[in-house]
Amino acid sequence: MNFEGKKVLVIGTGLSGTGAVEMLSALGAQVTLLEQNEKAEEEKIRSGLEGALSGDQLGKLRILVGALPEKEIFFRDGKEGTPGFDLIVPSPAVPLDSPLILKMTEAGVPVISEIELGFLNEKGKVIAITGTNGKTTTTTLMGEIMKAFAEQCKARAAQSGIPESATSGKGISYSRAFVVGNIGRSYAAASMETEPDTVTVGEISSFQLEAIQTFHPIVSAILNITPDHLNRHYTMENYAAIKERIAKNQTAEDVCVLNYEDPYLRPYGEHLCPARVVWFSSGTKLRKGYFLDGEEIFRADGKEAPRAILNVNETNLVGVCNAENVMAAIAMAEAAGVPMDLILSVIREFPPVPHRIEFVAEKGGVRYYNDSKATNPDAAIQGIRAMSRPTVLIGGGYDKKNSYDEWILSFEGKVRKLVLIGATRDAIAECARSHGFTDIVFCDTFDECLKTCTGLAEEGDAVLLSPACASWGMFPNYEVRGDMFKEYVRTLPD
């Protein structure tokens, strides 16, 4: 797509928005950056872009704060009723059914996500990962595998003097790997550096998949689909359909890695997925695919007997959920042409991702775990399952209209005390009592909560921050929540 001279509205000044501005400005678009938070300051927004844009690009950038004037939507070049923009790129936080987006689409203006925007400028190959839980761990792991593979390809080419395209056993080679998306770097910004022999690994959320059109990974994965973001997607059927859009443009020449145990993904993979499906399972001995049996991960090709390839105790990742993430990464990496010995070598050295069942320290005989990234009940269930001690659990936060029944039912034999904070604490407490769990403590602040947990925990216990809710309202994001927890734990006496 030629962006030269195109009038583009970018909504939101976060990572996604600023990345979109960087790419569009470099390609000659006339960009308007809209920040809908009326408390934001234009000069601060502009100064925050100084490192990403040249002086000339920054001077041409138009920044608006607050609501977009009505005339901006339907007035252009002196003509009433003519759409004011050629394209809109909203932040993932902006719902597609918001009044502004609906007005724009009614005016005939295309709306695409920043992920789609980046793909329009992609020159290499793409590997994409989505799912309710496990995206960050799996994407980070895949990124490390693909970076290691790119380095191996370059080293072999240098030693042999043959083209890099011939350095992989499958004739696949990459010179560089990028890790982007919902994980810390804008895809649109990174796309400026892609080349025909690079690979981009992306963590993709449902918010980003809503507005894709041509986005086409050679390998995709949907790790799981469990209730989350229903305040945005309304029904589980709609949420599942949006997640499945990651494979929308794939063909039988591509690969989609799916969780065999997921009730939404199994029928999708068996009947609807356009790509070649590779399964992984933590509960079934598959005839073909990857499965967990006890502590061993097996690879089955449907011909010979399944072969054990990795013992989970060889890794630094705990819990069945992480075994699933590892199997998904193995399946994707093998589909992308990476040798198995290299895949397993990277997995064995891979450290736990911050804020996901992250061991912090043992203080006074109590082990503290930071699982702040568990922002929905299903993710929090995985955190509880990973505990091997009686647990004092911290829960509660922003209300995403989720149900807590399954989470509460997972407490049995694990959770000794439940310490609740945030907007959802009353709803969680009511749900817990309805299932017979009554060892509940309310706290008004996070600091009070942490001190309460220290007082409740006994030697041999674990304290687990695994809230089952988003952090918004009390914290800017789950990282800040997790960092505050870790900082508090580190100040405790040994």
Side-chain angles (χ1 to χ4, degrees), residues 150-206:
E151 289 302 313
Q152 185 183 84
C153 289
K154 288 192 290 184
R156 287 181 176 175
Q159 290 172 1
S160 65
I162 61 176
E164 289 186 23
S165 60
T167 60
S168 164
K170 294 186 177 181
I172 300 171
S173 179
Y174 299 106
S175 65
R176 190 177 177 189
F178 301 93
V179 183
V180 303
N182 204 35
I183 199 171
R185 189 179 187 196
S186 157
Y187 181 24
S191 72
M192 302 296 296
E193 302 174 46
T194 61
E195 298 292 345
D197 62 351
T198 61
V199 61
T200 300
V201 181
E203 176 184 343
I204 316 296
S205 72
S206 59

Side-chain angles (χ1 to χ4, degrees), residues 118-119 121-128 142 146 149 171-180 187 190-191 193-202 215-220 250-251 253-254 332 335-337:
F119 185 76
N121 195 43
E122 174 67 60
K123 303 166 196 71
K125 303 297 185 182
V126 177
I127 297 170
M142 270 301 297
M146 298 312 294
F149 182 46
I172 300 171
S173 179
Y174 299 106
S175 65
R176 190 177 177 189
F178 301 93
V179 183
V180 303
Y187 181 24
S191 72
E193 302 174 46
T194 61
E195 298 292 345
D197 62 351
T198 61
V199 61
T200 300
V201 181
F215 182 70
H216 182 169
I218 58 166
V219 180
S220 69
Q250 288 190 288
T251 69
E253 295 181 356
D254 304 312
M332 284 187 289

Side-chain angles (χ1 to χ4, degrees), residues 14 38 74 109 120 170 175 204 229 236 281 305 348 452 484:
E38 295 180 352
F74 299 108
V109 182
L120 292 173
K170 294 186 177 181
S175 65
I204 316 296
H229 301 302
M236 277 301 298
S281 173
R348 290 186 180 103
T452 298
M484 287 181 65

Side-chain angles (χ1 to χ4, degrees), residues 337-391:
V338 185
M340 184 62 75
D341 60 344
L342 180 60
I343 297 171
L344 299 180
S345 174
V346 174
I347 290 171
R348 290 186 180 103
E349 297 298 321
F350 184 73
V353 172
H355 311 295
R356 193 66 180 107
I357 321 179
E358 176 190 12
F359 173 66
V360 181
E362 183 168 333
K363 298 293 182 103
V366 177
R367 293 177 69 85
Y368 290 81
Y369 291 88
N370 166 32
D371 195 29
S372 183
K373 199 175 188 306
T375 58
N376 61 70
D378 187 69
I381 288 171
Q382 306 307 323
I384 292 169
R385 286 177 177 170
M387 294 299 102
S388 58
R389 295 177 167 211
T391 300

Side-chain angles (χ1 to χ4, degrees), residues 189-417:
S191 72
M192 302 296 296
E193 302 174 46
T194 61
E195 298 292 345
D197 62 351
T198 61
V199 61
T200 300
V201 181
E203 176 184 343
I204 316 296
S205 72
S206 59
F207 295 171
Q208 294 162 325
L209 288 170
E210 281 182 309
I212 63 166
Q213 294 175 9
T214 64
F215 182 70
H216 182 169
I218 58 166
V219 180
S220 69
I222 311 176
L223 304 176
N224 44 62
I225 300 177
T226 59
D228 199 15
H229 301 302
L230 297 186
N231 57 329
R232 167 91 167 241
H233 300 308
Y234 305 115
T235 68
M236 277 301 298
E237 289 71 23
N238 188 42
Y239 177 50
I242 291 169
K243 286 291 191 186
E244 290 160 2
R245 284 175 62 81
I246 199 166
K248 170 180 179 285
N249 297 307
Q250 288 190 288
T251 69
E253 295 181 356
D254 304 312
V255 169
C256 182
V257 175
L258 299 174
N259 187 339
Y260 189 78
E261 302 305 317
D262 190 282
Y264 290 95
L265 294 177
R266 192 184 300 182
Y268 170 72
E270 290 175 341
H271 304 293
L272 299 172
C273 184
R276 177 169 68 85
V277 172
V278 176
W279 298 103
F280 68 90
S281 173
S282 59
T284 303
K285 295 180 181 179
L286 299 174
R287 189 185 70 83
K288 192 173 183 180
Y290 302 82
F291 64 86
L292 179 68
D293 186 10
E295 296 178 340
E296 297 284 346
I297 291 175
F298 286 79
R299 181 186 185 279
D301 62 8
K303 299 174 184 177
E304 300 178 358
R307 177 171 62 95
I309 57 174
L310 182 69
N311 187 296
V312 294
N313 294 318
E314 298 175 52
T315 76
N316 298 307
L317 304 172
V318 299
V320 172
C321 60
N322 274 320
E324 292 178 336
N325 297 336
V326 166
M327 286 189 287
I330 294 172
M332 284 187 289
E334 191 171 29
V338 185
M340 184 62 75
D341 60 344
L342 180 60
I343 297 171
L344 299 180
S345 174
V346 174
I347 290 171
R348 290 186 180 103
E349 297 298 321
F350 184 73
V353 172
H355 311 295
R356 193 66 180 107
I357 321 179
E358 176 190 12
F359 173 66
V360 181
E362 183 168 333
K363 298 293 182 103
V366 177
R367 293 177 69 85
Y368 290 81
Y369 291 88
N370 166 32
D371 195 29
S372 183
K373 199 175 188 306
T375 58
N376 61 70
D378 187 69
I381 288 171
Q382 306 307 323
I384 292 169
R385 286 177 177 170
M387 294 299 102
S388 58
R389 295 177 167 211
T391 300
V392 177
L393 174 64
I394 300 171
Y398 177 81
D399 190 0
K400 293 194 286 183
K401 306 301 180 185
N402 288 330
S403 169
Y404 303 102
D405 297 270
E406 294 298 320
W407 181 48
I408 301 298
L409 291 171
S410 74
F411 287 7
E412 188 172 358
K414 295 273 191 177
V415 177
R416 189 167 67 79
K417 294 282 186 181

